[in-house]
Amino acid sequence: MTIDWRPTADIETLRDRARLIAEVRAFFAERGVWEVETPVLGHGGSTDLHLVSLSCEATTPAGRERLWLQTSPEFHMKRLLAAGSGPIFQVARSFRDGEVGGRHNLEFSMLEWYRPGLDLDGLITETDALIRRVLSSDPGSLRRRRYRELFRESLELDPFHEPLEALRRLATERGGLDMAAACRDDCLDLLISLVIEPRLGRGGIDVVVDYPASQAALARRHRDPEDGEWVASRFEVYLDGLELANGYDELTDAEEQRARFKEDNAARRVEGLPEVEADERLLVALEAGMPAGSGVALGLDRLLQLALDKDRVAEVMAFSTPRA
């Protein structure tokens, strides 16, 4: 058997990667945002229904323990915020099981930063500036797109009020899957990924806002001025049909966060998925007091893929998982 030992990316690309990551660090240094490092292994994992955390058994001072490979550095960085760090960023190794393909790798680089005191509009502006700093060409104008309007334009329906049975039929038809028992969010996720996302970020940077409140994750919620519906105070950034970043007006209420962790694990039980230990240290940090502000996670490999005009994220990584 021939074993391919060579890097996934060519050496010149890896040099370009290093140069662009240096630009990222310079961007934050100019803004007084300091770099931190947090653990790859933690005592809590992500309870998110759509993420699959990896874990391992390790010998620690407490004996044999189960530790989780972090799906992002979010929980540890929020503990630093609660301790008074001020604005921080990190280029972090992150892990998500089952995420394989042209846009995914089990292990990847996440660029994550937090801005105490900055509102979501301010963070959108800063995220746009960072993306433009890294890209080699002008991506076009920044456009804010409301989640509901995208569904109305592309599918002629209101995602908040369309009857669930109608959504299931449409998702089954468009996705070629049996969605007869799917929940509303699963139907919406399928439709947006197949019908709407491929069109986003064409000729400009699209920022999608006002997601359903059920998709708030670790973000606050607010009322939609259109009709008073609760919506998530978060955004996602798209360029060339590729999702690049996910930003939140960060939830700081410990009790609300604890309730959401419980809801996630309850949903996991319904789906027959294993429960994930909630990060108790994060909850205690929130109780101690995390300052209000906003934060964003950006897929650094994806941004570098676009900046260096590559077809797959593996082409900007030294060794993707198949060659690791």
Side-chain angles (χ1 to χ4, degrees):
M1 181 180 66
T2 301
I3 296 177
D4 195 346
W5 57 269
R6 295 167 299 181
T8 314
D10 61 66
I11 296 301
E12 190 57 40
T13 297
L14 294 176
R15 289 196 177 103
D16 287 336
R17 178 188 178 102
R19 173 180 56 81
L20 292 176
I21 291 176
E23 282 293 325
V24 169
R25 289 191 162 99
F27 176 90
F28 289 112
E30 291 163 8
R31 287 161 175 76
V33 182
W34 61 286
E35 185 172 6
V36 298
E37 291 182 325
T38 58
V40 168
L41 288 172
H43 285 87
S46 173
T47 60
D48 190 310
L49 186 63
H50 301 292
L51 296 181
V52 183
S53 298
L54 290 164
S55 64
C56 67
E57 293 288 328
T59 302
T60 74
R64 293 294 291 176
E65 288 191 281
R66 188 184 196 188
L67 297 176
W68 298 88
L69 287 161
Q70 300 299 286
T71 58
S72 92
E74 179 172 7
F75 294 172
H76 288 108
M77 293 182 77
K78 286 183 172 179
R79 287 164 59 186
L80 290 176
L81 292 168
S85 67
I88 52 177
F89 84 97
Q90 181 172 186
V91 177
R93 303 306 291 174
S94 300
F95 302 82
R96 297 179 182 181
D97 196 12
E99 299 205 0
V100 179
R103 301 178 176 187
H104 301 90
N105 195 61
L106 296 187
E107 178 182 1
F108 60 97
S109 293
M110 181 82 81
L111 171 62
E112 195 150 330
W113 72 98
Y114 291 88
R115 289 293 224 147
L118 187 67
D119 64 18
L120 215 54
D121 284 339
L123 187 63
I124 289 172
T125 299
E126 186 166 73
T127 304
D128 177 64
L130 182 279
I131 291 170
R132 293 174 190 277
R133 177 78 168 254
V134 173
L135 295 177
S136 57
S137 58
D138 183 2
S141 61
L142 176 71
R143 304 172 298 217
R144 283 176 169 80
R145 311 294 303 277
R146 295 183 69 240
Y147 184 93
R148 295 175 85 172
E149 290 306 318
L150 289 172
F151 274 85
R152 287 166 173 161
E153 292 169 11
S154 299
L155 293 164
E156 298 183 341
L157 62 86
D158 185 331
F160 293 177
H161 298 300
E162 186 76 7
L164 179 55
E165 286 305 315
L167 277 180
R168 286 170 170 167
R169 287 194 297 270
L170 183 59
T172 298
E173 174 190 326
R174 293 299 184 100
L177 302 171
D178 182 4
M179 302 293 285
C183 67
R184 176 174 292 273
D185 279 336
D186 284 348
C187 292
L188 295 177
D189 284 347
L190 181 66
L191 291 170
I192 198 169
S193 64
L194 291 179
V195 180
I196 298 172
E197 285 184 355
R199 306 176 186 177
L200 294 175
R202 306 295 182 180
I205 297 175
D206 282 326
V207 179
V208 181
V209 298
D210 295 342
Y211 282 77
S214 57
Q215 299 180 23
L218 278 77
R220 295 178 187 267
R221 294 166 177 155
H222 66 272
R223 296 285 189 180
D224 189 329
E226 177 181 326
D227 58 5
E229 283 277 353
W230 282 106
V231 292
S233 303
R234 54 171 287 223
F235 66 84
E236 291 192 11
V237 179
Y238 290 86
L239 182 60
D240 288 342
L242 197 62
E243 180 198 337
L244 287 182
N246 194 346
Y248 297 159
D249 179 357
E250 299 294 346
L251 182 65
T252 59
D253 186 303
E255 288 309 307
E256 174 65 17
Q257 186 61 74
R258 186 181 297 278
R260 293 194 193 179
F261 282 157
K262 289 181 178 178
E263 289 170 5
D264 285 348
N265 271 322
R268 284 179 164 275
R269 289 193 296 272
V270 170
E271 296 293 327
L273 298 173
E275 293 186 40
V276 177
E277 297 168 44
D279 193 324
E280 289 295 331
R281 288 176 174 82
L282 170 64
L283 295 172
V284 174
L286 293 179
E287 289 171 356
M290 190 181 94
S294 55
V296 61
L298 183 148
L300 185 56
D301 301 305
R302 290 185 179 184
L303 179 57
L304 296 176
Q305 174 192 342
L306 293 179
L308 299 174
D309 194 27
K310 302 296 183 181
D311 294 327
R312 300 167 61 84
V313 292
E315 295 179 69
V316 297
M317 295 176 170
F319 299 100
S320 64
T321 299
R323 292 195 201 172

